[in-house]
Amino acid sequence: MRFLKHRFGDSRAASSTLNAASASAPSRSLPPGRASVPGVSDSELPAAAGRGAPDLAADARLQTALWGADMGLWELDFSTDTTRWFDGWCERFDLDPCEGRDHIARWDARIHDEDRPLVCERRAQHLAGDAEHYEAEYRIANRQGTWLWVVERGRVVARAADGAPLRMVCVCKEIGARKQAEEALRVSEFRYRSVASLAPGYIFEYRIQPDGSIRHLWVSDGVEAIYGVSQEEILRLGSRDSFIDPEWMPVIQERRAALARGEPRSGEFRARTAKGETKWLHASAVPVRDPKTGAVIGVLGSVYDITESKLAEIALHESRSTLLTVAESSADVLALFDRQRKCVFLNRPIHGLTPDPWLGAPVEAFAPPEDRARVHEIFERVINTGAPHDFEQVFTDDQCRLRCLEMRVRAVRSGDRMLGAVVNITEVTEQRAQRDTLRTQARILETMREGVVLVDAASMVIRLTNPTFDRLFGYRPGELIGQSVEPLISLPGTQRKRFERRIREYRTNGAPIEFECIRQDGSRFVASCVLSPLSMGGTEHWLAVINDVTERKRLEHGIIEIANREQQRIGSDLHDGLGQELTGIALMLRGVAAQLKREKSAARLDVEDIIGLVNNAIESTRSLARGLSPVSAERGGLSAALRALATRATERFGMHVEFHERVNVPLRLSETNATHLYRIAQEALTNAVRHSLASEVSITLETCGDELNLRIDDNGRGFGRRVPDDGAGLGLKLMRYRAQMLGGDLVFDTSAGGGASVRCSCPLEP
């Protein structure tokens, strides 16, 4: 206490001491891993520690924090018109720090002429008390004359009784990269508008109103060539619906509904122009989402005129319908070619492609490259002479299969005029190809490194296995066929419920399923399984591909354990080390404040301010310690941690958060598993705060037999029509992963009140 009295008994002496330390502080950035004390060399550290090491250490931590955030911090004392920088930020960007007197005028002189008026105006507003804080972005010249973009934020931290500023603190940050990004965005917008004006047809953008109607925000100039009205008229009308053929409105409404659900859509429709002309148009559109919530708020798309091609398509379709009627009775492939050897009709798929892609293709395209010259010669002979020609074509297709086709070419005449040729193609190798395919598939299954099994979906009987699957479970090849798959899978309690639910949901998300398997000798391993539904002979089957991931799961568990232990260690160090030191500082400062009060010193208020800052630092340290190690037996375990979480959330976010405990038996949970449950509840609560618009949240912890259930319900807007799946965000994936580490199940559902409900069930530890 005598030491503190000596240091702070005279406020002027203390101020001069701090200013001297600031003036002598080297302006340089701190190297990672080292905290230097301003104004004190390495050799002087022991002596400095004896004189006031806590203050110097606090300065060092402040400089380290500023260095890590890449920010500069300066303080202006209006009573002495002097400025102090707390780090070497200016030196990193070769800026003149303008320390000492008349800082503002000297600093403003280096600000760009275009930015200076706004900077001065905003600073003046804050100094006068008209603005809560001061913030400005501006360009400033460094010593080399290079302009740097800087954002500066600050506020007056002390004012006189008449409101005049006494001390102001500001932080600076270089934002050149962000400004370049903003300029790039502006250029991109210009290019977008330019491309839109050059694109065929027009580009549009509209917003979806709360009642489901649409309002056009923008259409390109090309809309006038389509509908015969200006873009201003379209925007005045609010939509293009008055030009759409009424027969097509249901289709348009369905597409808009799909877009509102977030599904891109494209397709044709019929419209009428302002002059009554009928046009066929093709539209492509994609949903526009809110960048914060991800909700669909509008649509961006393009429309172009396809009238000419559509009319030609209709005429061609009518002609093809006639030809198809004639060709329906033929089991062979019939192809019609014109005199230029272009295909104009094909009744069946060929070479794995439907007829449409072949229309317009030359006859040589139907033949393999090595046989095209012969095919060309045959068709020229038939078309020029009218003589029929039959031949065989043997080739290897893209799938390396030997194909054999019988080709019968006949001339097509109209009187004396030769119109083209018709080809009758008969496939004579289909059965042989099927047998080859079966042999190839069997070989693939035999050589796969993953285990493959085909299971009857109704009876769960194994119908097919590959050698890898048999080896995984310790059986001889083919020994498992005809047996039930149930004895191979270990799914106790909640794991079976999770497995059955994932099977039901698999058709929608297709994510791998992990579960424990049992070998013939009784040993166990963890498998990752990918399922595919198959229908064979009218019977539903599951095709499962299995990998042994036991070692991977062991490593994952080890990493989690190491991370939890390290967090607990850091939390303990913060609480028992830094927290205790700050508490000691606060107690000593209270003694100094009491002494200054007895002496009626004006420095007492400054010391009390410092006490408040130290108390805030103590609370922040404790919060950090709790966040790193939220669950511990010494603080009451999981129940106490969840109750504290509910209390903090109520105080911090203003929503009503309750914790209910219905535990009939003592919780048998390791600290690691308890932490997993806490993190699941914490993430669910965070999602409720950020996304659900809820006012009430309930956290319930209860036991049911040998299971522990954790449920988080809110009264917000819920998940809507789409419940989160495995393709959701990182937070939900981590929640699912933690539930898996517990050997439990995580379910997202809608609560009784219509809000979101997150339920985690896991077995109690024996």
Side-chain angles (χ1 to χ4, degrees), residues 27-328:
S27 296
R28 65 178 185 272
S29 60
L30 297 173
R34 178 182 175 189
S36 62
V37 180
V40 182
S41 66
D42 292 345
S43 61
E44 295 172 315
L45 281 175
R51 294 194 304 271
D55 293 337
L56 295 175
D59 253 7
R61 286 193 293 272
L62 174 61
Q63 291 200 28
T64 302
L66 293 172
W67 171 83
D70 198 22
M71 298 172 62
L73 173 66
W74 57 267
E75 180 185 63
L76 173 60
D77 189 337
F78 287 90
S79 61
T80 61
D81 192 25
T82 58
T83 300
R84 173 194 176 190
W85 285 87
F86 284 78
D87 65 341
W89 180 81
C90 289
E91 281 67 20
R92 291 202 296 274
F93 298 101
D94 200 22
L95 286 169
D96 182 0
C98 301
E99 291 184 309
R101 295 183 177 276
D102 204 20
H103 165 80
I104 291 180
R106 289 187 288 142
W107 186 268
D108 287 356
R110 306 189 70 84
I111 296 177
H112 198 285
D113 293 340
E114 296 176 1
D115 303 332
R116 190 182 302 114
L118 181 60
V119 174
C120 295
E121 177 185 352
R122 291 185 176 177
R123 186 194 302 118
Q125 289 176 349
H126 177 60
L127 294 178
D130 297 331
E132 182 178 358
H133 64 276
Y134 156 69
E135 180 174 348
E137 294 182 3
Y138 54 85
R139 289 161 289 182
I140 187 168
N142 64 8
R143 293 186 178 98
Q144 305 302 321
T146 302
W147 293 106
L148 303 176
W149 273 101
V150 172
V151 61
E152 190 174 53
R153 299 185 182 93
R155 65 171 56 187
V156 173
V157 298
R159 293 183 182 271
D162 61 355
L166 296 178
R167 189 167 73 256
M168 183 177 183
V169 177
C170 286
V171 294
C172 301
K173 187 175 180 65
E174 196 273 338
I175 58 171
R178 197 194 80 193
K179 285 296 183 179
Q180 291 179 358
E182 292 175 353
E183 175 64 16
L185 180 61
R186 186 192 66 78
V187 173
S188 176
E189 177 70 10
F190 170 77
R191 291 173 178 169
Y192 165 72
R193 299 289 181 176
S194 301
V195 170
S197 64
L198 298 175
Y202 67 92
I203 296 175
F204 66 89
E205 184 177 5
Y206 67 74
R207 285 290 180 267
I208 301 175
Q209 303 300 306
D211 60 359
S213 61
I214 65 171
R215 178 176 62 84
H216 271 78
L217 297 180
W218 177 77
V219 291
S220 63
D221 297 338
V223 71
E224 187 168 356
I226 298 292
Y227 298 115
V229 295
S230 65
Q231 62 181 144
E232 291 78 9
E233 179 67 13
I234 291 289
L235 295 176
R236 186 188 67 78
L237 293 173
S239 73
R240 301 158 292 136
D241 291 357
S242 59
F243 300 101
I244 298 175
D245 191 312
E247 294 182 4
W248 281 84
M249 278 307 299
V251 177
I252 298 299
Q253 295 294 351
E254 188 279 329
R255 292 174 184 170
R256 288 177 180 171
L259 287 164
R261 296 192 300 269
E263 304 169 8
R265 281 292 184 268
S266 65
E268 61 186 29
F269 65 97
R270 192 167 57 229
R272 290 188 173 90
T273 68
K275 296 181 180 180
E277 300 174 350
T278 298
K279 286 189 175 182
W280 283 93
L281 306 176
H282 186 278
S284 299
V286 295
V288 177
R289 297 183 180 273
D290 186 283
K292 294 182 179 179
T293 66
V296 177
I297 59 174
V299 169
L300 179 67
S302 64
V303 176
Y304 59 92
D305 191 347
I306 60 169
T307 303
E308 184 176 348
S309 61
K310 184 64 178 180
L311 294 177
E313 178 187 340
I314 293 173
L316 179 61
H317 180 73
E318 293 174 351
S319 175
R320 288 182 57 197
S321 298
T322 302
L323 291 172
L324 285 173
T325 302
V326 176
E328 280 180 352

Side-chain angles (χ1 to χ4, degrees), residues 34 48 67 151 174 185 199 212 263 282 302 310 344 401 406 422 453 469 481 492 499 519 524 527 651 655 689 712 743:
R34 178 182 175 189
W67 171 83
V151 61
E174 196 273 338
L185 180 61
E263 304 169 8
H282 186 278
S302 64
K310 184 64 178 180
V344 296
R401 296 181 303 177
E406 284 186 358
V422 63
V453 61
F469 184 87
I481 295 176
F499 181 79
R519 296 187 177 93
R524 298 169 181 259
E651 295 172 351
M655 62 168 52
V689 171
I712 302 92

